[in-house]
């Protein structure tokens, strides 16, 4: 037994925390936090390594990220590349990882017991899946293989991940700020990496890239740089023993902490500059970056929280209050942005209106005037006390988060220089008021220490440069001297010259004071809310919290009215109405929000939803204010114009989302009897006037059915009182049930095959996307539902392994059940540069091969997958919000199936392999004559088809020959273009037939250029990857034929499809499902007794 140092077992924890903790240190200096949670049904572990993209070599950006990917691909003890994920999937688990600037974080989650939680009686003595997962996990850091066979595939996965982000403004603007920072600081790096930086360029320099990745791992991965968190049911002593056994072999190289103290991300050249950037989406921002202090050691005082509280305030007297009233802005956020030990920014981000963009200099001056106000008065202790007090309340009543979220976050926190007793609380609590520390923090917000970034699609319009990695158009210049002087005057002004409307916030009246909870001993928590009122106008559901015992509650209210979404125009008006109400409530509701009490207001197909959540003390006050604002809204033309423009931009920007985020909306729309999509709202919104909203919203509130759920630290009489508040405030007539909207889905007939094609709105996005949907049946059919859920479980890991890991079709690959309002089916989503037709063929191939795998599946593996799914379905609810959301989902979908997960588990348990084979062969197998399919193809404007329309076949052939000549020359081959062109005549170049093209090049290399066989293989291997990019870029679709040497499953013949050209005609040709009906008579839930 190795000697293990016990650092502490006394961690400061939330009041209701029933876990026990221990921090240990192994002889190799690996530090671990062990967590014993006797009630958890999910175990988890995370390792955080103190190395990230800041440690990348300057000439090989993305190395840390690539190493993160490669560690998953086999170890000496478990050499099979997907052994880790197979094990996790078999035990209801999953894994993930991320690479940040100074850390790489790996984590997994797995069932805490080998038995479903409803059956398990484990007390830490039974075999746990956690041990097997930890064993496999530890090997990442002991003996990873960096398998040559997986190297190219994983680098393509990194490249695909990068391409996924190329049109994302968050990534583009972040990288622009980095690229325009001090080149001597690693913040300047491109962190993701791509094939060019990680493979092609290094190989040209003669670099053995596998050796480089192994060197990076050897150089930077050390036990003393690692922090481990393990959470399980097992006692701490047992967890300690496991960690000691499994992680002791991680090598300790006594590496120092990664620091960059001698250089800052902004030098004198980068401050006092303004950068104008053109975004992909229609966005207008003013971002102010101040180089700031590193606060890692200031965990007791956290002075930046004082700054962000005041600058980011939205109440009366704030920056936002003033610039919003001027019509210049819609939102503002502020806070410290740590970069690495020794460096940070303090950032202020302002969402501008069209007028605000023109006046961005005035907006900046308002910010500096407010900063001068902050500096003019000494730091106010009452403000710190208010923030400190709310932080203490939030920590005291903090509820559990999902296991892997907890371990991943805590392993990162462990890298901070906190006392180990404060690992749970250290970043949450402010422990001291330090006026000097706050004043020192404010000293960084100077008029000579900032950079501005102005983001707009049309201002100034004369961007003259492109950022290297993402292609963002921008212009960078010194802040004009007159503007610099104006900012300086604003930052130095006194009360006489300052805008009179600016002042510090008032004391917050929403801070909760009643935090008592009456906790009772109960045998088992109630699984459903009680129906305490049910009449023509109102239905009220209530459950007093009996699981979490926190002074919080959730109140959900639906005002049911079919007018809300009867047409796209009405839906757009209702959306505008809700946004105008929220706009009017910003100042009032902000105090409630920072005091842990929030509301949301929105519309959906059945009506308008009003939700209140948080500390229950002053919940009724906020609800009443929201209802009165809804009832008495004055539609002001100036605010209408601003809110409408913001909504318009949102609808226009929808087209610029990632394709995989769009495709589901079209699948949903094509499955609805009646429903609308983004473009239909966008067609209506420009024509709407203030009068349209003013005339509609009283009709929406005049006659409604009120559905209420009250759940949490509220009694029955509180629930009835809140219901009465809704009734008495709105004074609406009852909407009879006969007038409620009946929601139905369309039914795809047996043997049907439909395809809907849609061209992406973003001309620069190179990714195609497919959602491949197979209709199964009615969502209330428990037998079918159980089979569908089990199929999703069974194909999860094999689908990812085949379609993403092996075939590298794209970074985004998802397989599983799709549950609609009244119907359900099986779906596969892939986002890829490959054509949608090719993706469809590969999905067919995967499903055909899975049919064989299912036939051959050993019985113990089948039973293991069932058990894993049952564990998932019966997973315990983690917090009050999760339980409230589950109740509300069952109420709003009108099935009222509160015990659905138990019902699912009961129907999954008796399923046999024969049941699943019959189900698969009928509904899923591509060879089935019965299956019903709908495919939605999202097609990039830069797709081969689109490019081919602008180029003749001879031009395409000529360009292919030219590019191959350049490639071969770069590989040291002497090229005769005419001879190469003659060889390519024998190949199906325009058909995209890669095997025949490769055969032609091979003949040229062997017979014409006389290249040795081993050298020829290297050239061909790299060239094959090149073809996959070059051919589509010239408008040539790659042939979907599978190379026999690639050992990929063959696709069955494609079934003839019906293309949907007219959605109305398509919908009218289909039958509709039955509408939702309660699975249990509602009288079963009634509770009319007056007692509490």
């Amino acid at each position: 037994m190795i000697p293990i140092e016990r650092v502490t077992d006394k961690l400061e924890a939330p009041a209701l925390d029933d876990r026990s903790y221990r921090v240990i240190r192994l002889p190799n200096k690996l530090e671990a936090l062990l967590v014993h949670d006797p009630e958890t049904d999910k175990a988890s572990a995370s390792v955080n390594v103190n190395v990230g993209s800041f440690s990348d070599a300057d000439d090989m950006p993305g190395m840390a990220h690539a190493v993160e990917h490669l560690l998953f691909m086999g170890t000496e003890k478990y050499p099979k590349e997907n052994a880790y994920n197979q094990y996790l999937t078999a035990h209801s688990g999953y894994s993930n990882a991320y690479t940040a600037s100074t850390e790489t974080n790996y984590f997994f989650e797995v069932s805490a017991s080998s038995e479903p939680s409803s059956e398990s009686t484990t007390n830490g003595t039974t075999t746990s899946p956690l041990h097997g997962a930890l064993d496999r996990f530890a090997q990442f850091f002991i003996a990873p293989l960096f398998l040559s066979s997986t190297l190219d595939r994983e680098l393509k996965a990194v490249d695909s991940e990068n391409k996924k982000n190329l049109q994302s403004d968050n990534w583009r603007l972040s990288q622009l700020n980095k690229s325009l920072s001090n080149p001597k600081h690693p913040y300047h790096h491109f962190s993701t990496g791509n094939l060019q930086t990680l493979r092609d360029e290094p190989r040209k320099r003669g670099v053995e890239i596998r050796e480089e990745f192994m060197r990076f791992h050897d150089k930077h991965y050390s036990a003393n740089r690692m922090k481990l968190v393990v959470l399980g049911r097992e006692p701490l002593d047992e967890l300690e023993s496991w960690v000691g056994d499994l992680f002791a072999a991680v090598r300790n190289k006594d590496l120092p902490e990664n620091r960059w103290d001698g250089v800052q991300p902004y030098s004198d050249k980068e401050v006092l500059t303004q950068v104008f950037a053109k975004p992909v989406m229609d966005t207008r921002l003013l971002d102010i970056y101040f180089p700031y202090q590193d606060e890692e050691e200031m965990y007791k005082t956290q002075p930046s929280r004082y700054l962000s509280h005041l600058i980011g305030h939205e109440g009366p007297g704030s920056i936002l209050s003033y610039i919003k009233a001027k019509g210049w802005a819609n939102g503002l956020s502020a806070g410290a942005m740590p970069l690495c030990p020794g460096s940070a920014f303090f950032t202020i981000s302002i969402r501008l209106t069209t007028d605000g963009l023109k006046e961005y200099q005035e907006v900046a001056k308002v910010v500096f005037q407010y900063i001068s106000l902050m500096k003019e008065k000494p730091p106010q202790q009452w403000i710190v006390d208010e923030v400190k007090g709310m932080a203490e309340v939030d920590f005291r009543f903090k509820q559990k988060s999902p296991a892997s979220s907890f371990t991943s976050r805590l392993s990162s926190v462990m890298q901070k220089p906190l006392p180990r007793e404060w690992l749970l609380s250290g970043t949450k609590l402010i422990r001291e008021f330090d006026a000097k520390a706050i004043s020192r923090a404010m000293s960084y917000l100077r008029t000579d220490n900032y950079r501005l970034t102005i983001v707009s699609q049309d201002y100034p319009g004369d961007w003259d440069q492109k950022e290297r990695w993402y292609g963002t158009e921008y212009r960078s210049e010194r802040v004009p001297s007159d503007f610099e002087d104006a900012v300086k005057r604003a930052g130095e002004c006194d009360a006489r010259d300052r805008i009179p409307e600016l002042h510090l916030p008032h004391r917050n009246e929403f801070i909760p004071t009643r935090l008592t909870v009456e906790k009772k001993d109960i045998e088992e928590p109630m699984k459903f809310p009680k129906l305490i009122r049910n009449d023509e106008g109102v239905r009220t559901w209530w459950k007093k919290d009996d699981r979490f015992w926190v002074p919080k509650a959730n109140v959900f209210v639906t005002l049911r009215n079919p007018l809300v979404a009867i047409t796209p125009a009405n839906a757009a008006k209702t959306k505008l109405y809700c946004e105008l109400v929220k706009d009017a409530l910003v100042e009032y509701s902000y105090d409630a929000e920072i005091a842990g009490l929030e509301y949301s207001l929105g519309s959906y197909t059945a009506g308008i939803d009003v939700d209140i959540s948080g500390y229950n003390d002053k919940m009724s006050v906020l609800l009443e204010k929201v209802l009165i604002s809804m009832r008495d809204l004055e539609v002001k033309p100036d605010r209408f114009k601003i809110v409408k423009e913001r909504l318009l931009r949102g609808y226009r920007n929808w087209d610029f989302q990632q394709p995989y985020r769009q495709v589901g909306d079209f699948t949903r729309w094509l499955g609805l009897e009646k429903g609308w999509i983004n473009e239909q709202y966008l067609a209506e919104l420009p024509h709407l006037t203030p009068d349209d909203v003013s005339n509609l919203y009283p009709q929406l509130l005049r006659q409604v059915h009120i559905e209420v759920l009250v759940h949490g630290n509220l009694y029955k009489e509180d629930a009835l009182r809140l219901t009465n508040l809704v009734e008495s405030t709105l004074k609406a007539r009852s909407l009879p049930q006969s007038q409620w909207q009946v929601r139905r889905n369309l039914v795809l007939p047996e043997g049907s095959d439909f395809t809907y094609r849609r061209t992406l709105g973003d001309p620069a996005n190179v990714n195609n996307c497919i959602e491949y949907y197979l209709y199964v049946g009615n969502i209330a059919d428990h037998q079918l539902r159980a089979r569908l859920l089990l199929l999703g479980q069974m194909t999860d890991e094999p689908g990812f392994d085949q379609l993403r890991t092996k075939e590298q079709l794209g970074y985004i690959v998802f397989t599983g059940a799709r549950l609609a309002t009244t119907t359900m089916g099986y779906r596969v989503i892939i986002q890829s540069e490959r054509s949608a037709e090719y993706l469809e063929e590969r999905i067919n191939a995967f499903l055909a091969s899975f049919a064989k795998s299912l036939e051959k599946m050993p019985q113990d593996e089948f039973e293991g997958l069932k058990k894993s799914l049952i564990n998932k379905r019966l997973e315990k609810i983690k917090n009050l919000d999760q339980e409230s959301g589950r109740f509300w989902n069952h109420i709003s979908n009108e099935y009222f199936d509160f015990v659905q997960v138990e019902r699912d588990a009961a129907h999954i348990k008796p399923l046999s392999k024969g049941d699943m084979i019959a189900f698969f062969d009928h509904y899923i197998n591509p060879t089935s004559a019965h299956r019903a399919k709908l495919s939605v193809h999202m097609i990039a404007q830069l797709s081969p088809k689109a490019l081919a329309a602008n180029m003749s076949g001879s031009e395409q052939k000529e360009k292919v020959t030219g590019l191959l000549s350049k490639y071969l020359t770069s590989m040291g081959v002497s090229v005769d273009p005419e001879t190469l062109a003659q060889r390519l005549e024998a190949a199906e170049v325009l058909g995209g037939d890669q095997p025949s093209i490769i055969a032609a090049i091979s003949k040229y290399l062997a017979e014409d250029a006389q290249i040795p066989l081993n050298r020829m293989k290297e050239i061909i291997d790299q060239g094959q990857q090149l073809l996959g990019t070059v051919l589509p870029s010239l408008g040539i679709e790659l042939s979907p034929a599978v190379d026999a040497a690639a050992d990929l499953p063959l696709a069955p013949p494609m079934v003839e499809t019906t293309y949907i050209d007219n959605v109305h005609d398509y919908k009218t040709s289909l039958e509709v499902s039955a509408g939702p009906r309660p699975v249990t008579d509602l009288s079963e839930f009634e509770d009319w007794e007056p007692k509490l």
Side-chain angles (χ1 to χ4, degrees):
M1 185 74 179
I2 63 167
I4 295 174
E5 178 190 355
R6 292 185 178 175
V7 179
T8 184
D9 58 2
K10 292 180 170 58
L11 269 66
E12 187 174 36
L16 299 169
D17 194 339
D18 60 356
R19 293 167 170 166
S20 51
Y21 301 91
R22 180 182 297 165
V23 180
I24 61 172
R25 190 175 293 115
L26 303 187
N28 61 4
K29 296 187 180 177
L30 185 148
E31 190 179 41
L33 169 64
L34 311 176
V35 186
H36 165 56
D37 185 341
E39 299 300 320
T40 190
D41 51 6
K42 287 290 185 181
S44 176
S46 173
V47 165
N48 188 285
V49 189
N50 173 221
V51 64
S53 61
F54 278 15
S55 298
D56 288 347
D58 289 340
D59 62 353
M60 209 166 165
M63 284 185 76
H65 184 210
V67 168
E68 172 226 304
H69 274 250
L70 289 163
L71 285 201
F72 285 82
M73 295 292 113
T75 61
E76 287 182 13
K77 186 172 182 181
Y78 298 100
K80 188 178 176 184
E81 66 181 64
N82 63 336
Y84 173 62
N85 284 325
Q86 274 188 333
Y87 181 88
L88 296 179
T89 301
H91 294 92
S92 314
Y94 71 94
S95 71
N96 212 334
Y98 67 81
T99 303
S101 301
T102 62
E103 63 182 30
T104 307
N105 192 290
Y106 303 84
F107 57 92
F108 71 81
E109 189 170 290
V110 73
S111 177
S113 165
S114 57
E115 295 299 323
S117 51
S118 65
E119 302 170 9
S120 176
T121 57
T122 187
N123 57 7
T125 60
T126 57
T127 303
S128 163
L130 175 59
H131 186 273
L134 273 177
D135 186 17
R136 288 158 177 80
F137 188 52
Q139 294 301 312
F140 289 4
F141 313 102
I142 296 169
L145 289 176
F146 291 91
L147 291 169
S148 300
S149 60
T150 68
L151 185 63
D152 227 50
R153 281 195 269 116
E154 283 310 303
L155 293 183
K156 285 180 72 178
V158 170
D159 189 64
S160 183
E161 184 176 351
N162 179 58
K163 283 174 175 166
K164 171 182 73 72
N165 299 327
L166 286 178
Q167 291 301 103
S168 163
D169 281 325
N170 285 340
W171 285 87
R172 292 165 70 90
L173 296 173
S174 172
Q175 186 60 51
L176 178 62
N177 192 40
K178 293 166 75 170
S179 294
L180 296 178
S181 67
N182 183 357
K184 295 179 180 178
H185 193 280
Y187 180 65
H188 185 75
H189 284 176
F190 166 49
S191 59
T192 309
N194 58 29
L195 278 179
Q196 178 190 358
T197 68
L198 293 169
R199 188 192 68 186
D200 300 343
E201 291 298 329
R203 277 181 175 165
K204 285 180 186 176
R205 299 194 302 267
V207 173
E208 288 289 339
I209 56 173
R210 178 172 177 265
E211 296 298 322
E212 282 300 306
F213 295 133
M214 292 172 74
R215 265 194 291 272
F216 184 94
H217 184 271
D218 186 61
K219 178 181 177 182
H220 294 290
Y221 277 59
S222 172
N224 74 306
R225 278 187 174 176
M226 296 180 188
K227 306 298 180 185
L228 167 67
V229 180
V230 180
L231 182 154
R233 283 189 188 177
E234 291 72 21
L236 292 176
D237 288 349
E238 189 167 359
L239 293 176
E240 180 180 296
S241 174
W242 288 359
V243 168
D245 291 344
L246 298 174
F247 287 86
V250 179
R251 283 178 59 204
N252 176 31
K253 301 157 194 172
D254 274 324
L255 299 178
E257 179 194 26
N258 271 315
R259 297 189 65 90
W260 293 268
D261 293 314
V263 62
Q264 287 297 314
Y266 284 175
S267 66
D268 291 343
K269 292 179 182 178
E270 284 80 40
V271 294
L272 293 180
T273 57
Q274 56 183 16
V275 178
F276 297 92
K278 184 180 181 182
V280 172
M281 291 193 176
D282 189 0
T283 307
R284 292 183 298 270
L285 294 171
L286 170 62
D287 290 337
I288 308 176
Y289 293 86
F290 295 94
Y292 187 68
Q293 64 187 357
D294 171 19
E295 289 190 350
E296 266 202 344
E297 302 281 352
M298 303 179 193
Y299 47 81
K300 289 183 180 179
T301 56
Q302 301 180 50
S304 63
R305 288 173 70 172
Y306 182 89
L307 276 58
S308 59
H309 177 74
L310 294 180
I311 295 171
H313 210 281
E314 299 179 8
S318 66
I319 297 170
L320 182 62
S321 175
Y322 179 77
I323 58 180
K324 185 168 173 279
K326 296 288 283 185
W328 291 343
N330 288 313
L332 181 152
S333 59
M337 175 182 161
L339 299 179
C340 63
S343 302
F345 290 129
F346 189 91
T347 65
I348 303 170
S349 184
I350 301 166
R351 296 196 301 275
L352 299 172
T353 63
T354 48
D355 289 342
L357 180 64
K358 297 171 193 170
E359 303 290 346
Y360 81 90
Q361 294 187 354
E362 294 301 313
V363 174
K365 287 191 281 184
V366 174
V367 171
F368 279 96
Q369 282 208 26
Y370 193 87
I371 290 171
S372 76
L373 166 69
M374 290 166 57
K375 292 179 177 179
E376 184 178 83
K377 297 183 178 182
Q380 304 291 295
Q381 183 162 354
W382 73 266
I383 293 176
V384 174
D385 287 345
E386 205 171 75
V387 175
K388 178 173 175 283
M390 267 318 301
E392 288 166 357
V393 169
D394 287 341
F395 181 71
R396 179 182 166 195
F397 296 108
K398 182 173 172 54
Q399 299 170 76
K400 290 180 182 177
S401 56
S404 58
S405 299
F406 174 86
T407 58
S408 176
R409 187 181 69 80
L410 260 294
S411 66
S412 176
V413 169
M414 287 180 75
Q415 297 286 4
K416 300 181 186 300
L418 288 165
R420 302 294 92 173
E421 292 79 8
W422 292 355
L423 286 175
L424 301 177
S425 61
T427 59
K428 306 288 184 187
L429 300 183
I430 298 173
R431 298 171 193 277
E432 297 174 3
F433 168 66
D434 187 337
K436 287 183 180 177
I438 293 171
S439 296
R440 188 165 56 250
M442 286 195 285
S443 73
Y444 288 88
L445 310 188
R446 301 193 310 271
T447 58
D448 65 347
N449 187 47
Y450 67 90
R451 177 158 85 184
L452 304 180
T453 300
I454 300 96
V455 179
S456 166
Q457 278 195 332
D458 44 33
Y459 179 83
D462 58 347
W463 310 278
D464 56 1
Q465 296 182 75
K466 277 194 175 184
E467 193 275 323
R468 176 182 177 185
W469 301 109
Y470 288 80
T472 304
E473 294 182 68
Y474 73 95
R475 192 180 91 205
S476 180
E477 62 191 25
R478 297 292 296 176
V479 171
S481 56
D482 58 338
F483 179 31
E484 183 182 346
D485 292 342
V487 166
K488 193 172 183 182
R489 288 193 297 273
E492 296 173 354
C493 70
D494 56 24
R496 290 170 299 174
D497 302 320
R498 191 176 299 122
I499 297 164
E501 289 89 343
L502 296 179
H503 59 79
L504 296 182
H506 52 67
R507 293 182 187 272
N508 191 342
E509 299 301 323
F510 273 101
I511 298 289
T513 53
R514 291 188 303 122
L515 296 167
T516 54
V517 179
E518 184 187 3
K519 187 171 181 179
K520 296 180 179 179
D521 291 328
I522 55 159
E523 288 187 16
E524 187 181 356
M526 284 278 292
K527 293 182 178 178
F528 52 84
K530 295 177 179 179
L531 185 57
I532 58 173
R533 181 175 167 186
N534 188 10
D535 52 47
E536 188 182 38
V538 176
R539 202 157 52 193
T540 300
W541 301 84
W542 162 77
K543 183 192 169 189
K544 175 77 171 65
D545 172 40
D546 56 2
R547 285 180 189 266
F548 305 105
W549 312 109
V550 288
K552 295 183 174 184
N554 291 302
V555 177
F556 299 93
V557 180
T558 286
L559 306 174
R560 189 179 274 109
N561 185 319
L563 292 176
V564 163
I566 198 166
T567 63
N570 266 25
K573 290 175 199 173
T574 307
K575 175 74 171 170
L576 253 177
Y577 162 65
C578 292
E579 291 300 311
L580 286 163
V581 172
K582 289 192 283 188
D583 184 71
L585 280 168
V586 166
E587 286 191 13
Y588 179 87
S589 64
Y590 185 73
D591 273 352
E593 183 182 328
I594 58 178
L597 183 60
E598 298 181 352
Y599 83 98
S600 65
L601 174 65
S603 57
Y604 77 121
T605 52
I608 295 173
D609 276 359
V610 186
D611 304 339
I612 311 286
S613 62
Y615 295 103
N616 57 274
D617 183 12
K618 298 181 172 72
M619 191 162 264
S620 61
V621 177
L622 181 59
L623 176 59
E624 183 175 25
K625 180 67 175 180
V626 173
L627 292 168
I628 290 171
S629 299
M630 292 172 66
R631 184 193 68 195
D632 299 339
L633 177 69
E634 179 188 351
V635 182
K636 298 175 181 176
D638 59 335
R639 296 311 303 170
F640 177 87
K641 177 184 174 185
I642 289 168
V643 172
K644 175 182 169 182
E645 192 275 335
R646 188 173 74 215
L647 266 185
L648 269 170
R649 278 190 294 124
Y651 285 134
R652 289 180 186 133
N653 287 339
W654 189 91
D655 279 334
F656 291 84
Q657 295 180 100
Q658 289 290 336
Y660 78 94
R661 295 189 182 278
Q662 299 181 40
V663 70
D665 275 24
F666 291 108
T667 311
R668 176 193 56 80
W669 174 54
L670 293 166
L672 284 171
E673 179 190 20
K674 191 172 186 180
W676 322 115
I677 52 171
N678 185 73
E679 66 185 35
Q680 293 168 306
Y681 304 133
L682 187 55
E684 299 297 333
L685 196 56
H687 307 291
L688 300 184
T689 66
D691 284 347
D692 289 325
V693 176
S694 296
N695 293 333
L696 177 67
Y697 89 76
Q699 297 177 49
L700 301 181
L701 303 181
R702 188 173 296 141
Q703 188 175 19
V704 298
H705 177 266
I706 300 168
E707 185 110 48
V708 180
L709 168 65
V710 177
H711 176 224
N713 190 38
L714 292 169
Y715 291 95
K716 184 176 179 179
E717 62 182 15
D718 297 320
L720 293 171
R721 195 180 299 120
L722 288 167
T723 304
N724 291 339
L725 178 62
V726 178
E727 275 190 298
S728 61
T729 304
L730 298 180
K731 295 183 171 63
R733 288 175 55 220
S734 297
L735 182 77
Q737 192 171 19
S738 60
Q739 295 181 37
W740 298 5
Q741 182 188 7
V742 178
R743 294 174 297 151
R744 304 174 189 269
N745 283 112
L746 299 170
V747 175
L748 296 180
E750 276 199 359
S752 61
D753 192 296
F754 294 100
T755 300
Y756 180 73
R757 293 176 295 190
R758 186 85 179 193
T759 302
L760 291 175
D762 181 359
N765 200 314
V766 299
N767 292 297
N768 300 295
C769 186
I770 183 174
E771 179 161 2
Y772 175 113
Y773 173 76
L774 301 172
Y775 172 81
V776 168
N778 192 299
I779 199 169
D781 185 327
H782 303 301
Q783 300 285 353
L784 276 181
R785 179 184 166 93
R787 287 160 170 78
L788 175 62
L789 293 173
L790 183 53
L791 177 66
Q793 173 74 15
M794 296 171 82
T795 59
D796 180 41
E797 194 280 329
F800 188 88
D801 183 56
Q802 183 63 48
L803 299 172
R804 181 183 150 176
T805 305
K806 288 192 171 72
E807 298 196 34
Q808 285 294 310
L809 295 178
Y811 184 73
I812 302 296
V813 173
F814 172 80
T815 61
R818 180 185 180 93
L819 307 176
T821 304
T822 60
T823 59
M824 60 186 174
Y826 179 83
R827 69 171 172 183
V828 181
I829 293 177
I830 304 176
Q831 180 173 296
S832 170
E833 289 183 79
R834 310 299 286 269
S835 73
E837 290 83 1
Y838 180 75
L839 298 177
E840 180 132 1
E841 184 134 340
R842 297 317 304 150
I843 293 168
N844 278 339
F846 164 68
L847 293 175
S849 79
F850 183 78
K852 298 172 186 173
S853 301
L854 180 56
E855 289 272 3
K856 297 175 185 174
M857 184 177 289
Q859 189 62 32
D860 61 341
E861 183 181 342
F862 177 77
E863 293 298 327
L865 286 164
K866 272 171 50 181
K867 192 179 291 185
S868 179
L869 177 59
I870 291 170
N871 265 320
K872 277 185 183 175
R873 297 306 296 158
L874 297 178
E875 185 176 338
K876 290 179 181 177
I877 293 167
K878 300 294 185 292
N879 51 56
L880 184 74
D881 289 349
Q882 195 179 359
E883 185 174 35
S884 298
R886 183 178 288 186
F887 287 156
W888 190 237
N889 179 58
H890 291 313
I891 292 167
S892 57
N893 70 21
E894 299 179 78
Y895 285 102
F896 305 96
D897 193 357
F898 297 111
V899 292
Q900 184 183 67
V901 293
E902 289 87 351
R903 203 188 305 272
D904 286 342
H907 283 87
I908 292 163
K909 190 172 183 179
L911 290 177
S912 68
K913 198 171 89 165
D915 293 333
M916 290 306 297
I917 291 171
F919 171 80
F920 189 91
D921 285 346
H922 185 91
Y923 293 99
I924 311 298
N925 200 317
T927 60
S928 169
H930 303 283
R931 78 170 195 162
K933 181 170 77 69
L934 167 66
S935 278
V936 179
H937 294 182
M938 305 294 292
I939 302 168
Q941 291 188 35
L942 291 176
S943 67
K945 280 184 180 176
L947 292 166
N950 301 314
M951 203 181 300
S952 69
S954 59
E955 285 178 307
Q956 287 174 311
K957 275 189 176 182
E958 187 179 326
K959 286 184 180 292
V960 169
T961 305
L963 285 169
L964 288 174
S965 295
K966 283 184 181 178
Y967 166 67
L968 293 175
T969 302
S970 75
M971 297 298 287
V973 178
S974 178
V975 177
D976 178 352
E978 283 188 26
T979 307
L980 178 61
Q982 288 170 5
R983 289 290 187 189
L984 288 170
E985 284 297 325
E988 289 287 332
V989 174
L990 298 184
D993 182 12
Q994 291 183 85
S996 71
I997 298 171
I998 289 165
I1001 297 169
S1002 298
K1003 279 193 174 183
Y1004 177 81
L1005 292 173
E1007 299 175 17
D1008 302 319
Q1010 297 187 344
I1011 301 296
L1013 191 63
N1014 60 343
R1015 176 72 178 135
M1016 191 172 92
K1017 184 178 185 306
E1018 182 187 346
I1019 294 169
I1020 291 294
D1021 285 349
Q1022 290 190 45
Q1024 194 162 3
Q1025 303 294 331
L1026 180 71
L1027 281 177
T1029 304
V1030 165
L1031 296 178
S1033 74
L1034 296 174
I1036 299 170
E1037 292 217 34
L1038 298 173
S1039 168
V1042 176
D1043 181 1
D1047 195 28
L1048 297 179
L1050 292 170
M1054 295 284 279
V1055 174
E1056 186 176 349
T1057 192
T1058 301
Y1059 289 99
I1060 302 171
D1061 298 316
N1062 184 310
V1063 173
H1064 180 265
D1065 289 352
Y1066 157 77
K1067 289 192 173 188
T1068 57
S1069 71
L1070 301 179
E1071 294 182 358
V1072 295
S1073 69
R1077 296 187 65 187
V1079 298
T1080 305
D1081 193 286
L1082 296 191
S1083 62
E1084 296 288 320
F1085 306 112
E1086 290 177 351
D1087 177 10
W1088 306 137
E1089 297 175 21
K1091 66 182 181 183
L1092 298 184

